[in-house]
Amino acid sequence: MIENQKIRPAQVIGPLGEPLTLDSLPPPNTTRWVVRRKAEVVAAVNGGLLTVDEACERYGLTLEEFAGWQRSIDRSGMPGLRVTRIQHYRDLYERQQRF
């Protein structure tokens, strides 16, 4: 609904409970995506600070890449964003869905 309106919040709550503004988001030229930065971008989109399209354009992400971050947070929280643990959390999620 926020995307259909032109009203946007000045700040949203970040993944660690801190306020996020457009100025405090990771810089557009970010190339090293640590867990915190990914979570901040997802929080900004979820809170209405950016649209998905704006986030993808600003950071050079594909829609699939951003959706993967969002899905990882929904399933496993911030630890799910760790590249070295993706397969572990994916297996854990699938096992939970079976029972």
Side-chain angles (χ1 to χ4, degrees):
M1 179 129 185
I2 290 177
E3 287 183 346
N4 294 334
Q5 300 173 353
K6 296 296 179 194
I7 300 171
R8 292 193 186 191
Q11 66 181 21
V12 297
I13 303 300
L16 302 176
E18 79 287 0
L20 282 178
T21 63
L22 286 174
D23 293 333
S24 67
L25 286 174
N29 61 348
T30 298
T31 56
R32 186 165 182 269
W33 286 100
V34 296
V35 170
R36 180 186 50 80
R37 290 182 187 142
K38 292 176 187 178
E40 287 175 344
V41 174
V42 171
V45 170
N46 289 344
L49 197 58
L50 292 173
T51 66
V52 172
D53 292 335
E54 289 169 340
C56 289
E57 184 178 329
R58 178 178 172 137
Y59 295 110
L61 305 171
T62 64
L63 185 57
E64 292 79 16
E65 187 174 17
F66 178 80
W69 293 358
Q70 209 164 32
R71 189 171 40 255
S72 294
I73 287 179
D74 290 345
R75 289 179 176 177
S76 305
M78 284 180 62
L81 291 170
R82 291 184 61 205
V83 173
T84 57
R85 302 292 287 173
I86 287 174
Q87 187 63 46
H88 168 76
Y89 288 111
R90 186 177 299 137
D91 292 345
L92 181 64
Y93 176 78
E94 288 172 1
R95 279 194 306 267
Q96 288 172 345
Q97 294 304 305
R98 284 187 225 141
F99 301 106

